[in-house]
Amino acid sequence: YTCTVANSVTSTTVAAATTSSVATLTGTGSKTLNVGDNTLNIVVTSQSGSTKTYSVKVHRKSNDANLSSLSVSNYTISPAFSSSTTSYTLTVPNATSSITVNASKSNTYASISGTGSKALNVGSNTIKVTVTAEDGTVRTYTLIITREKSDDNSLSTLIVKDNNLIPSFNSDTLDYSFTTNDRTLDITAIPTNKYAKVEISENAKSLVAGLNVVTIKVTSETGNERIYTLNVTRELSNDNTLKTLEVK
């Protein structure tokens, strides 16, 4: 026979009666229950001495909602893990876009949620690992993972519409030149890190005849600046024609 009791039940009383009035039995009375399975045996002895054993397996539910381990692959959390400590922190470089959270439960009958691969945003990320004990008791362990800001202040793309940069664009090359007849420049400048800030100097909208130094400033999340320079020569017009002529 089997039965299950709540964790709060620390003992039970076994009562039994024999079919024969001359038979005897042992194993009844008050029984202390440990967490988990408890096997209670009731032995009936007949008048002739033959015995039969009845077994009752009483399962006392666990309220253990602790972890036995908690870790992040390839990193060390702070403070060092203790089952009684529920809050931890970790800082990872900007290049780390995801982590793997690992955990083990103290009790076989408990369940864990919140482990596995976790994507990280730049800045603070809260990851919760929840342990649910067999009897429904819940404990939550919290990881605060800080992904550092990027110091990338490069451009991945630099295009000036209808004009060719000299030399051809390379994110590590900062100075370019070209000659144009345009009065304004249509510039596409895309940062390698989408969170970086790009500022194009105002003179790109109103080129004067001759040399124009147009700058493109890229500022990383951490505040580091990089300047790309366009040395743009706007050619002098050689148009010496009349648009209209009237003699009245």
Side-chain angles (χ1 to χ4, degrees):
Y1 301 91
T2 61
C3 69
T4 299
V5 298
N7 177 263
S8 59
V9 178
T10 59
S11 65
T12 189
T13 299
V14 178
T18 59
T19 303
S20 170
S21 62
V22 294
T24 61
L25 60 84
T26 59
T28 58
S30 180
K31 305 294 179 181
T32 299
L33 298 178
N34 297 316
V35 172
D37 290 332
N38 300 262
T39 300
L40 309 180
N41 292 320
I42 300 92
V43 180
V44 181
T45 305
S46 70
Q47 188 178 36
S48 65
S50 63
T51 62
K52 177 178 280 189
T53 300
Y54 294 82
S55 292
V56 179
K57 182 179 288 186
V58 181
H59 181 81
R60 180 184 169 196
K61 288 185 176 182
S62 169
N63 65 350
D64 186 348
N66 292 318
L67 289 179
S68 59
S69 69
L70 176 65
S71 65
V72 174
S73 296
N74 303 317
Y75 293 99
T76 302
I77 60 176
S78 179
F81 174 75
S82 169
S83 61
S84 60
T85 302
T86 57
S87 296
Y88 299 88
T89 61
L90 172 66
T91 298
V92 300
N94 176 265
T96 301
S97 59
S98 66
I99 57 168
T100 300
V101 177
N102 312 293
S104 299
K105 55 193 178 182
S106 293
N107 185 270
T108 302
Y109 297 102
S111 61
I112 300 174
S113 63
T115 57
S117 181
K118 305 294 180 181
L120 298 178
N121 296 317
V122 173
S124 181
N125 300 261
T126 300
I127 298 171
K128 294 184 180 294
V129 178
T130 301
V131 187
T132 304
E134 184 183 19
D135 72 343
T137 300
V138 174
R139 170 172 279 190
T140 300
Y141 293 79
T142 302
L143 292 167
I144 305 297
I145 312 296
T146 301
R147 180 182 173 190
E148 294 179 329
K149 292 181 178 180
S150 172
D151 61 358
D152 191 336
N153 56 9
S154 66
L155 290 177
S156 62
T157 301
L158 178 57
I159 299 171
V160 182
K161 186 178 180 180
D162 298 329
N163 292 279
N164 295 317
L165 299 179
I166 301 173
S168 297
F169 174 71
N170 181 292
S171 61
D172 295 325
T173 301
L174 302 182
D175 294 298
Y176 301 89
S177 62
F178 60 91
T179 300
T180 186
N181 291 318
D182 297 335
R183 290 179 178 273
T184 62
L185 299 179
D186 185 351
I187 299 174
T188 300
I190 301 174
T192 304
N193 173 27
K194 65 180 181 179
Y195 297 108
K197 181 181 179 182
V198 176
E199 299 173 85
I200 301 172
S201 59
E202 287 296 320
N203 63 335
K205 300 176 182 178
S206 55
L207 299 180
V208 298
L211 179 63
N212 300 261
V213 179
V214 176
T215 59
I216 302 166
K217 182 170 70 174
V218 186
T219 305
S220 72
E221 290 181 276
T222 57
N224 292 331
E225 296 180 354
R226 175 181 289 194
I227 304 293
Y228 291 83
T229 302
L230 304 178
N231 298 293
V232 184
T233 300
R234 181 182 160 217
E235 294 183 322
L236 297 174
S237 174
N238 59 5
D239 186 349
N240 56 9
T241 62
L242 292 175
K243 182 177 181 180
T244 61
L245 175 60
E246 291 184 33
V247 177
K248 293 185 180 180

